[in-house]
Amino acid sequence: MADKFATEDTTTEKTEPDAVKEVSDDFVTRQHTAPSGLAYTTTTGRLVLRREEIKDGKSEGFKPKAEIFVVAYTKDDGDQNRPVTFAFNGGPGSSSVWLHLGLLGPRLVNSGDVGSMTPPPFGLVDNPESLLEHSDLVLIDPVSTGFSRVIEGEKPDEFHAFIEDRDLVAEVIRLWTTRNNRWLSPKYLVGESYGTLRAVAVAGRLFDAYGMAVNGLGLISTVLNMSTLRFFPGSDTPYALHVPTYAAIAHYHGRHPGRELADVVREAEEFAARDFGYALSQGARLTEPEYDDVVTRLSALTTLDEAFIRRTNLRWAYHEFAAELLRADGLVVGRIDGRFTSPPANLQSSSSNDDPSMRAITGPFAAAINHYLRAELGYENDLPYEILTARVHPWSYRTFEGAPVDVSEVLERLMVHNPALRVHVDYGYQDGATPHFAAEYVFAHMKLDEQARARISHHYHEAGHMMYLKPECRLAQLEALKEFVTV
């Protein structure tokens, strides 16, 4: 760009090769009426996020960085007393489609459930119990998911990181709240999977950076400390915390005949927390009789063969369990949802990274969102809507510098600084991705007084990671969330 003090002839037309391409929001609005008679407006499109650029200590103005796709549902003639719920999924790399069309929104994907999946071309049905009946909704897709992209010339990898993702989602919420004059509305964040970790981090960012206090956090299929889930040498905790989930999945597949699920899970939890945890901590110090006893009890609970348990020295990762549980039946079980099964590509493989549950549900959700956004919400974009993308990997956790990825201390601080903050937690017993006992372990180790703990409600479902695939679980979830956002 020419120096503004240059003496050359300024009437000559100049080109600016480094000029930033002008971008703007591209929202589309539509009016709707729910079967209940609720009149509402959808606002669908991409919100341009800008950030101040500083060079040599001087501001170069606010430059566009990313276009973030959101779908907002607002009740017509609503007021500031009506709650607003901001929701997103996890991954990292997942769009908000799962919570959007699986649970919260006024329309549901007609996917079916395990054993009775809907065949193509799938479809959409009304969701009479939608949270929209009680709260406005804003569904957010982080960078590289859904239709969200960085501006031309920017680097998407910059936003594929814990802190940058946290700050971006928080800025979307701040900006939407400001533009829609909702600072005095009750505000809730609902996340699923990695989205639960994101929800806590974003709530902390909103409080620290903008002074925005939220009323509640909805945590669905929770992970607040990654070290409880990741299997690696030297860390025995995840091996124990997965045992109740193994037992629950085995029970679903008929491996504990005549027993109630609650009874099996309770026994597995007690064994994992006491005897198995002790046995793992002893390593080679465990006596042979003690070792034999642990193998026998572990086999009875997980229904895995004792020879397998001995070969793994009491320690195996979930993908090994998925391949082993129903090997004799020629099947592998799902990770996102252990109720799902399919024949493996290689029955001799010692592990399974193929997830039959994700393969079963991705088609219905992809068809539904691609139809719904264009045909019913009126938003048109020729980009592929990224349902669950690997483009965000490797995801950066550089902020933690070798420490566990953990936001439990952030939640502790929020619960203290905001004595009105409440937390709703949903667990799926057959969830192999975020086992319920691992999340319970983190909550149990948080430094909270009894009054703060009383503000955390725990809800359990006989289903997987996306427990709302099961109709009765979805109804129970929505009833509890209704009470959560209207208290």
Side-chain angles (χ1 to χ4, degrees):
M1 184 181 297
D3 189 309
K4 65 177 180 178
F5 297 111
T7 58
E8 61 183 322
D9 183 4
T10 57
T11 61
T12 302
E13 184 176 347
K14 301 288 183 182
T15 59
E16 298 184 86
D18 59 344
V20 176
K21 181 181 178 181
E22 186 61 31
V23 292
S24 59
D25 300 346
D26 63 355
F27 289 116
V28 174
T29 60
R30 289 287 186 274
Q31 276 66 50
H32 312 263
T33 302
S36 66
L38 175 75
Y40 65 94
T41 297
T42 55
T43 304
T44 307
R46 302 205 292 180
L47 174 72
V48 178
L49 290 191
R50 291 173 167 81
R51 186 169 61 200
E52 187 176 17
E53 293 290 319
I54 305 295
K55 184 175 182 181
D56 297 329
K58 298 179 181 179
S59 173
E60 294 189 330
F62 283 81
K63 304 291 181 67
K65 291 295 179 179
E67 296 175 280
I68 304 302
F69 186 69
V70 299
V71 180
Y73 296 86
T74 52
K75 179 185 177 183
D76 294 350
D77 302 321
D79 58 33
Q80 289 186 345
N81 294 321
R82 181 169 167 83
V84 56
T85 299
F86 300 91
F88 34 78
N89 278 84
S94 177
S95 68
S96 62
V97 62
W98 315 103
L99 287 176
H100 189 176
L101 297 185
L103 180 66
L104 302 176
R107 298 280 278 162
L108 288 173
V109 56
N110 181 16
S111 65
D113 191 19
V114 61
S116 59
M117 296 299 294
T118 304
F122 315 112
L124 287 156
V125 296
D126 288 327
N127 183 12
E129 294 78 22
S130 168
L131 196 63
L132 178 59
E133 296 288 334
H134 315 284
S135 168
D136 290 344
L137 303 173
V138 182
L139 284 302
I140 302 171
D141 289 342
V143 167
S144 299
T145 74
F147 287 134
S148 297
R149 302 291 189 274
V150 294
I151 299 299
E152 182 178 336
E154 296 296 322
K155 296 179 179 179
D157 287 353
E158 176 185 352
F159 298 97
H160 300 162
F162 172 82
I163 287 293
E164 288 75 10
D165 171 82
R166 178 203 70 181
D167 293 354
L168 177 140
V169 173
E171 175 62 5
V172 171
I173 292 171
R174 182 203 68 81
L175 193 55
W176 189 94
T177 301
T178 300
R179 289 184 179 181
N180 290 275
N181 194 26
R182 301 300 293 272
W183 273 83
L184 297 182
S185 297
K187 289 173 283 295
Y188 296 84
L189 308 185
V190 174
E192 179 180 302
S193 195
Y194 179 85
T196 61
L197 188 146
R198 176 189 284 136
V200 172
V202 167
R205 172 67 176 176
L206 289 171
F207 190 87
D208 295 339
Y210 311 124
M212 181 184 291
V214 301
N215 296 71
L217 296 172
L219 308 180
I220 300 172
S221 301
T222 304
V223 52
L224 302 183
N225 184 331
M226 289 287 196
S227 71
T228 62
L229 303 184
R230 293 181 169 171
F231 302 99
F232 56 89
S235 176
D236 284 330
T237 304
Y239 298 102
L241 297 179
H242 278 69
V243 168
T245 296
Y246 298 147
I249 293 173
H251 179 275
Y252 176 83
H253 292 290
R255 305 293 288 269
H256 289 285
R259 297 189 67 185
E260 295 294 326
L261 174 63
D263 178 50
V264 172
V265 170
R266 182 169 51 251
E267 182 185 349
E269 290 174 346
E270 291 175 356
F271 172 69
R274 296 177 183 176
D275 295 351
F276 189 44
Y278 168 80
L280 292 173
S281 72
Q282 293 305 294
R285 294 170 295 182
L286 200 65
T287 67
E288 187 173 344
E290 289 174 326
Y291 186 92
D292 291 342
D293 179 62
V294 169
V295 169
T296 300
R297 295 174 65 189
L298 197 53
S299 176
L301 285 166
T302 65
T303 73
L304 297 176
D305 187 74
E306 288 191 12
F308 168 82
I309 294 172
R310 290 180 184 276
R311 285 197 306 273
T312 60
N313 192 28
L314 313 180
R315 300 161 177 84
W316 62 86
Y318 186 85
H319 61 270
E320 295 174 286
F321 168 81
E324 191 68 26
L325 180 66
L326 301 180
R327 184 185 296 278
D329 301 319
L331 299 170
V332 296
V333 300
R335 175 174 174 266
I336 289 293
D337 193 328
R339 299 175 303 150
F340 286 79
T341 63
S342 71
N346 179 4
L347 192 55
Q348 293 298 318
S349 177
S350 62
S351 64
S352 173
N353 291 312
D354 182 25
D355 189 344
S357 52
M358 283 305 299
R359 282 195 285 104
I361 65 176
T362 298
F365 277 84
I369 193 68
N370 279 284
H371 168 83
Y372 180 61
L373 295 178
R374 184 177 287 258
E376 298 192 23
L377 302 190
Y379 182 78
E380 298 188 8
N381 196 314
D382 288 340
L383 286 171
Y385 185 89
E386 296 284 354
I387 301 289
L388 182 60
T389 180
R391 294 171 57 192
V392 306
H393 297 296
W395 188 264
S396 173
Y397 296 103
R398 58 183 177 274
T399 307
F400 294 90
E401 297 182 348
V405 180
D406 181 10
V407 296
S408 62
E409 289 187 0
V410 177
L411 183 54
E412 287 174 354
R413 177 170 57 84
L414 288 170
M415 298 289 283
V416 171
H417 292 174
N418 179 4
L421 177 64
R422 293 175 296 114
V423 180
H424 167 107
V425 189
D426 275 312
Y427 306 93
Y429 281 126
Q430 285 88 26
D431 176 5
T434 57
H436 74 276
F437 203 49
E440 286 182 346
Y441 177 90
V442 176
F443 284 116
H445 284 77
M446 289 175 59
K447 297 180 287 293
L448 299 173
D449 61 27
E450 289 307 308
Q451 289 184 334
R453 289 194 181 279
R455 288 184 272 128
I456 304 175
S457 60
H458 304 267
H459 308 265
Y460 297 85
H461 307 276
E462 294 187 21
H465 194 72
M466 298 162 184
M467 61 284 294
Y468 42 81
L469 290 174
K470 190 174 179 178
E472 50 265 47
C473 293
R474 183 179 68 251
L475 294 177
Q477 272 187 285
L478 288 170
E479 182 62 28
L481 285 170
K482 169 185 132 181
E483 295 179 8
F484 184 62
V485 301
T486 55
V487 169

